[in-house]
Short mmCIF file of all heavy atoms in Angstrom, two decimals:
data_model
loop_
_atom_site.label_atom_id
_atom_site.label_comp_id
_atom_site.label_asym_id
_atom_site.label_seq_id
_atom_site.Cartn_x
_atom_site.Cartn_y
_atom_site.Cartn_z
N HIS A 1 98.43 -31.18 -10.83
CA HIS A 1 99.55 -32.10 -10.88
C HIS A 1 100.41 -31.83 -12.11
O HIS A 1 99.94 -31.27 -13.11
CB HIS A 1 99.05 -33.55 -10.89
CG HIS A 1 98.16 -33.87 -9.72
ND1 HIS A 1 98.63 -33.96 -8.44
CD2 HIS A 1 96.81 -34.06 -9.65
CE1 HIS A 1 97.63 -34.23 -7.62
NE2 HIS A 1 96.51 -34.30 -8.33
N GLU A 2 101.65 -32.24 -12.04
CA GLU A 2 102.55 -32.16 -13.20
C GLU A 2 102.43 -33.45 -14.00
O GLU A 2 102.35 -34.54 -13.42
CB GLU A 2 104.00 -32.00 -12.77
CG GLU A 2 104.36 -30.66 -12.16
CD GLU A 2 105.85 -30.59 -11.87
OE1 GLU A 2 106.65 -30.84 -12.80
OE2 GLU A 2 106.21 -30.31 -10.71
N VAL A 3 102.46 -33.32 -15.31
CA VAL A 3 102.45 -34.49 -16.19
C VAL A 3 103.64 -34.38 -17.13
O VAL A 3 103.80 -33.39 -17.83
CB VAL A 3 101.15 -34.58 -17.01
CG1 VAL A 3 101.20 -35.77 -17.97
CG2 VAL A 3 99.94 -34.72 -16.08
N TRP A 4 104.47 -35.42 -17.11
CA TRP A 4 105.60 -35.52 -18.02
C TRP A 4 105.32 -36.64 -19.01
O TRP A 4 104.93 -37.74 -18.62
CB TRP A 4 106.89 -35.82 -17.27
CG TRP A 4 107.41 -34.68 -16.42
CD1 TRP A 4 106.78 -33.52 -16.10
CD2 TRP A 4 108.69 -34.63 -15.77
NE1 TRP A 4 107.57 -32.74 -15.30
CE2 TRP A 4 108.76 -33.40 -15.08
CE3 TRP A 4 109.77 -35.50 -15.71
CZ2 TRP A 4 109.87 -33.02 -14.34
CZ3 TRP A 4 110.88 -35.13 -14.97
CH2 TRP A 4 110.93 -33.89 -14.29
N VAL A 5 105.55 -36.36 -20.28
CA VAL A 5 105.28 -37.33 -21.34
C VAL A 5 106.53 -37.47 -22.20
O VAL A 5 107.09 -36.46 -22.65
CB VAL A 5 104.09 -36.88 -22.22
CG1 VAL A 5 103.85 -37.87 -23.35
CG2 VAL A 5 102.83 -36.71 -21.37
N GLU A 6 106.98 -38.71 -22.41
CA GLU A 6 108.12 -38.93 -23.29
C GLU A 6 107.76 -38.49 -24.71
O GLU A 6 106.67 -38.81 -25.22
CB GLU A 6 108.53 -40.40 -23.29
CG GLU A 6 109.74 -40.68 -24.17
CD GLU A 6 110.12 -42.14 -24.27
OE1 GLU A 6 109.47 -42.98 -23.61
OE2 GLU A 6 111.07 -42.44 -25.02
N SER A 7 108.65 -37.82 -25.37
CA SER A 7 108.42 -37.36 -26.74
C SER A 7 108.06 -38.53 -27.64
O SER A 7 108.74 -39.55 -27.65
CB SER A 7 109.67 -36.66 -27.27
OG SER A 7 109.45 -36.19 -28.58
N GLY A 8 106.95 -38.38 -28.36
CA GLY A 8 106.50 -39.42 -29.28
C GLY A 8 105.65 -40.51 -28.66
O GLY A 8 105.20 -41.42 -29.38
N ALA A 9 105.40 -40.43 -27.36
CA ALA A 9 104.67 -41.51 -26.69
C ALA A 9 103.27 -41.71 -27.25
O ALA A 9 102.75 -42.83 -27.25
CB ALA A 9 104.59 -41.24 -25.19
N GLY A 10 102.64 -40.63 -27.73
CA GLY A 10 101.26 -40.73 -28.19
C GLY A 10 101.07 -40.89 -29.68
O GLY A 10 99.92 -40.91 -30.16
N LEU A 11 102.16 -41.00 -30.42
CA LEU A 11 102.03 -41.04 -31.88
C LEU A 11 101.21 -42.23 -32.36
O LEU A 11 100.51 -42.14 -33.38
CB LEU A 11 103.42 -41.06 -32.52
CG LEU A 11 104.26 -39.79 -32.34
CD1 LEU A 11 105.62 -39.95 -33.00
CD2 LEU A 11 103.52 -38.57 -32.90
N GLY A 12 101.26 -43.33 -31.63
CA GLY A 12 100.52 -44.53 -32.04
C GLY A 12 99.01 -44.37 -31.96
O GLY A 12 98.28 -45.14 -32.58
N ILE A 13 98.54 -43.38 -31.22
CA ILE A 13 97.10 -43.12 -31.16
C ILE A 13 96.75 -41.81 -31.87
O ILE A 13 95.64 -41.30 -31.73
CB ILE A 13 96.58 -43.09 -29.70
CG1 ILE A 13 97.18 -41.91 -28.91
CG2 ILE A 13 96.86 -44.40 -29.00
CD1 ILE A 13 96.45 -41.60 -27.62
N GLY A 14 97.72 -41.26 -32.60
CA GLY A 14 97.48 -40.02 -33.32
C GLY A 14 97.58 -38.77 -32.47
O GLY A 14 97.04 -37.72 -32.83
N ALA A 15 98.27 -38.86 -31.31
CA ALA A 15 98.43 -37.71 -30.41
C ALA A 15 99.88 -37.21 -30.49
O ALA A 15 100.81 -37.97 -30.20
CB ALA A 15 98.09 -38.10 -28.98
N SER A 16 100.06 -35.97 -30.88
CA SER A 16 101.39 -35.40 -31.04
C SER A 16 101.89 -34.80 -29.73
O SER A 16 101.12 -34.58 -28.78
CB SER A 16 101.37 -34.31 -32.12
OG SER A 16 100.59 -33.20 -31.67
N ASP A 17 103.18 -34.50 -29.69
CA ASP A 17 103.74 -33.80 -28.53
C ASP A 17 103.01 -32.48 -28.32
O ASP A 17 102.77 -32.07 -27.18
CB ASP A 17 105.24 -33.55 -28.73
CG ASP A 17 106.06 -34.82 -28.66
OD1 ASP A 17 105.51 -35.88 -28.32
OD2 ASP A 17 107.28 -34.74 -28.95
N ARG A 18 102.66 -31.82 -29.41
CA ARG A 18 101.95 -30.54 -29.31
C ARG A 18 100.59 -30.72 -28.63
O ARG A 18 100.16 -29.85 -27.86
CB ARG A 18 101.79 -29.94 -30.70
CG ARG A 18 101.21 -28.53 -30.71
CD ARG A 18 101.28 -27.92 -32.09
NE ARG A 18 102.67 -27.75 -32.52
CZ ARG A 18 103.02 -27.25 -33.70
NH1 ARG A 18 102.08 -26.87 -34.58
NH2 ARG A 18 104.29 -27.11 -34.01
N ASP A 19 99.92 -31.83 -28.91
CA ASP A 19 98.63 -32.09 -28.25
C ASP A 19 98.80 -32.20 -26.73
O ASP A 19 97.98 -31.69 -25.97
CB ASP A 19 98.01 -33.39 -28.78
CG ASP A 19 97.60 -33.29 -30.24
OD1 ASP A 19 97.23 -32.19 -30.68
OD2 ASP A 19 97.67 -34.34 -30.94
N TYR A 20 99.88 -32.87 -26.32
CA TYR A 20 100.13 -33.00 -24.88
C TYR A 20 100.52 -31.65 -24.26
O TYR A 20 100.09 -31.31 -23.15
CB TYR A 20 101.22 -34.04 -24.62
CG TYR A 20 100.73 -35.47 -24.73
CD1 TYR A 20 100.98 -36.23 -25.88
CD2 TYR A 20 100.02 -36.06 -23.70
CE1 TYR A 20 100.53 -37.54 -25.97
CE2 TYR A 20 99.56 -37.36 -23.78
CZ TYR A 20 99.82 -38.10 -24.93
OH TYR A 20 99.37 -39.40 -25.01
N GLU A 21 101.31 -30.88 -24.98
CA GLU A 21 101.70 -29.56 -24.47
C GLU A 21 100.48 -28.66 -24.32
O GLU A 21 100.37 -27.91 -23.35
CB GLU A 21 102.73 -28.93 -25.40
CG GLU A 21 104.10 -29.59 -25.32
CD GLU A 21 105.10 -29.01 -26.29
OE1 GLU A 21 104.70 -28.66 -27.43
OE2 GLU A 21 106.28 -28.87 -25.91
N ALA A 22 99.55 -28.76 -25.26
CA ALA A 22 98.32 -27.98 -25.17
C ALA A 22 97.49 -28.38 -23.96
O ALA A 22 96.69 -27.58 -23.44
CB ALA A 22 97.50 -28.14 -26.45
N ALA A 23 97.67 -29.63 -23.50
CA ALA A 23 96.97 -30.12 -22.31
C ALA A 23 97.70 -29.78 -21.02
O ALA A 23 97.26 -30.16 -19.94
CB ALA A 23 96.77 -31.62 -22.41
N GLY A 24 98.82 -29.08 -21.13
CA GLY A 24 99.57 -28.66 -19.94
C GLY A 24 100.69 -29.58 -19.55
O GLY A 24 101.31 -29.39 -18.50
N ALA A 25 100.98 -30.61 -20.38
CA ALA A 25 102.04 -31.56 -20.05
C ALA A 25 103.40 -31.03 -20.48
O ALA A 25 103.52 -30.18 -21.37
CB ALA A 25 101.78 -32.90 -20.73
N THR A 26 104.43 -31.56 -19.85
CA THR A 26 105.82 -31.28 -20.21
C THR A 26 106.35 -32.44 -21.04
O THR A 26 106.21 -33.60 -20.65
CB THR A 26 106.69 -31.11 -18.95
OG1 THR A 26 106.20 -30.00 -18.19
CG2 THR A 26 108.15 -30.89 -19.31
N ILE A 27 106.94 -32.14 -22.18
CA ILE A 27 107.50 -33.18 -23.03
C ILE A 27 108.94 -33.44 -22.61
O ILE A 27 109.76 -32.52 -22.54
CB ILE A 27 107.44 -32.78 -24.52
CG1 ILE A 27 105.99 -32.50 -24.94
CG2 ILE A 27 108.05 -33.87 -25.38
CD1 ILE A 27 105.04 -33.67 -24.75
N SER A 28 109.22 -34.71 -22.33
CA SER A 28 110.56 -35.12 -21.91
C SER A 28 111.26 -35.81 -23.08
O SER A 28 110.61 -36.49 -23.88
CB SER A 28 110.49 -36.08 -20.72
OG SER A 28 109.88 -35.43 -19.61
N PRO A 29 112.57 -35.67 -23.19
CA PRO A 29 113.28 -36.21 -24.35
C PRO A 29 113.35 -37.72 -24.41
O PRO A 29 113.49 -38.30 -25.49
CB PRO A 29 114.68 -35.59 -24.23
CG PRO A 29 114.85 -35.33 -22.76
CD PRO A 29 113.48 -34.94 -22.27
N ASP A 30 113.28 -38.38 -23.26
CA ASP A 30 113.45 -39.83 -23.25
C ASP A 30 112.79 -40.44 -22.02
O ASP A 30 112.38 -39.73 -21.09
CB ASP A 30 114.93 -40.21 -23.29
CG ASP A 30 115.77 -39.48 -22.24
OD1 ASP A 30 115.25 -39.28 -21.12
OD2 ASP A 30 116.91 -39.11 -22.53
N ALA A 31 112.72 -41.78 -22.02
CA ALA A 31 112.11 -42.48 -20.90
C ALA A 31 112.94 -42.33 -19.63
O ALA A 31 112.39 -42.30 -18.52
CB ALA A 31 111.93 -43.96 -21.24
N LYS A 32 114.24 -42.26 -19.77
CA LYS A 32 115.13 -42.14 -18.62
C LYS A 32 114.74 -40.94 -17.76
O LYS A 32 114.73 -41.02 -16.53
CB LYS A 32 116.57 -42.02 -19.08
CG LYS A 32 117.60 -41.94 -17.96
CD LYS A 32 119.01 -41.87 -18.52
CE LYS A 32 120.04 -41.76 -17.40
NZ LYS A 32 121.42 -41.69 -17.94
N THR A 33 114.41 -39.83 -18.41
CA THR A 33 114.01 -38.62 -17.69
C THR A 33 112.73 -38.87 -16.91
O THR A 33 112.58 -38.41 -15.77
CB THR A 33 113.82 -37.46 -18.67
OG1 THR A 33 114.99 -37.30 -19.46
CG2 THR A 33 113.52 -36.16 -17.93
N ILE A 34 111.79 -39.60 -17.52
CA ILE A 34 110.51 -39.89 -16.85
C ILE A 34 110.74 -40.75 -15.61
O ILE A 34 110.26 -40.44 -14.52
CB ILE A 34 109.55 -40.61 -17.82
CG1 ILE A 34 109.30 -39.78 -19.08
CG2 ILE A 34 108.24 -40.95 -17.11
CD1 ILE A 34 108.50 -38.54 -18.90
N PHE A 35 111.46 -41.85 -15.78
CA PHE A 35 111.69 -42.76 -14.66
C PHE A 35 112.48 -42.09 -13.53
O PHE A 35 112.24 -42.36 -12.36
CB PHE A 35 112.41 -44.02 -15.14
CG PHE A 35 111.53 -44.99 -15.86
CD1 PHE A 35 111.68 -45.19 -17.23
CD2 PHE A 35 110.55 -45.71 -15.21
CE1 PHE A 35 110.87 -46.09 -17.92
CE2 PHE A 35 109.72 -46.60 -15.88
CZ PHE A 35 109.89 -46.79 -17.24
N ALA A 36 113.39 -41.21 -13.89
CA ALA A 36 114.20 -40.55 -12.87
C ALA A 36 113.46 -39.45 -12.14
O ALA A 36 113.71 -39.21 -10.95
CB ALA A 36 115.47 -39.97 -13.52
N GLY A 37 112.51 -38.81 -12.83
CA GLY A 37 111.93 -37.61 -12.25
C GLY A 37 110.50 -37.70 -11.76
O GLY A 37 110.03 -36.78 -11.08
N CYS A 38 109.80 -38.78 -12.08
CA CYS A 38 108.37 -38.85 -11.75
C CYS A 38 108.11 -39.74 -10.54
O CYS A 38 108.72 -40.79 -10.38
CB CYS A 38 107.57 -39.35 -12.95
SG CYS A 38 107.52 -38.16 -14.30
N GLU A 39 107.16 -39.31 -9.72
CA GLU A 39 106.76 -40.08 -8.54
C GLU A 39 105.87 -41.25 -8.91
O GLU A 39 105.86 -42.27 -8.22
CB GLU A 39 106.04 -39.16 -7.56
CG GLU A 39 106.88 -38.01 -7.04
CD GLU A 39 106.03 -36.89 -6.51
OE1 GLU A 39 105.60 -36.99 -5.33
OE2 GLU A 39 105.75 -35.92 -7.24
N MET A 40 105.11 -41.10 -9.98
CA MET A 40 104.28 -42.20 -10.47
C MET A 40 104.46 -42.31 -11.98
O MET A 40 104.42 -41.30 -12.69
CB MET A 40 102.80 -41.99 -10.14
CG MET A 40 101.88 -43.05 -10.77
SD MET A 40 100.21 -43.16 -10.07
CE MET A 40 99.59 -41.51 -10.36
N VAL A 41 104.65 -43.54 -12.46
CA VAL A 41 104.74 -43.82 -13.89
C VAL A 41 103.52 -44.64 -14.28
O VAL A 41 103.26 -45.70 -13.70
CB VAL A 41 106.03 -44.58 -14.24
CG1 VAL A 41 106.06 -44.92 -15.73
CG2 VAL A 41 107.26 -43.76 -13.85
N VAL A 42 102.78 -44.13 -15.27
CA VAL A 42 101.57 -44.79 -15.75
C VAL A 42 101.87 -45.37 -17.13
O VAL A 42 102.26 -44.64 -18.05
CB VAL A 42 100.39 -43.81 -15.83
CG1 VAL A 42 99.14 -44.51 -16.34
CG2 VAL A 42 100.12 -43.18 -14.46
N LYS A 43 101.74 -46.69 -17.26
CA LYS A 43 102.03 -47.36 -18.51
C LYS A 43 100.81 -48.16 -18.97
O LYS A 43 99.73 -48.05 -18.39
CB LYS A 43 103.23 -48.32 -18.36
CG LYS A 43 104.58 -47.61 -18.16
CD LYS A 43 105.71 -48.61 -17.98
CE LYS A 43 106.23 -49.18 -19.28
NZ LYS A 43 105.41 -50.13 -20.03
#
């Protein structure tokens, strides 16, 4: 599956954008991109 993560979403738990990229995720610049492009949004 594809995973899109808004940039900075994981900073509150100590997870950087680089950590998500290493996991195979795509970093998106903003929430608007996530809501527009994803079939499922997990919050």
Side-chain angles (χ1 to χ4, degrees):
H1 304 290
E2 290 184 54
V3 177
W4 290 10
V5 178
E6 181 184 358
S7 181
L11 293 179
I13 65 165
S16 67
D17 289 353
R18 187 171 297 179
D19 293 328
Y20 282 101
E21 288 177 323
T26 298
I27 302 301
S28 298
D30 50 37
K32 182 178 179 180
T33 306
I34 303 290
F35 284 110
C38 291
E39 299 159 82
M40 174 164 59
V41 177
V42 180
K43 290 179 82 288

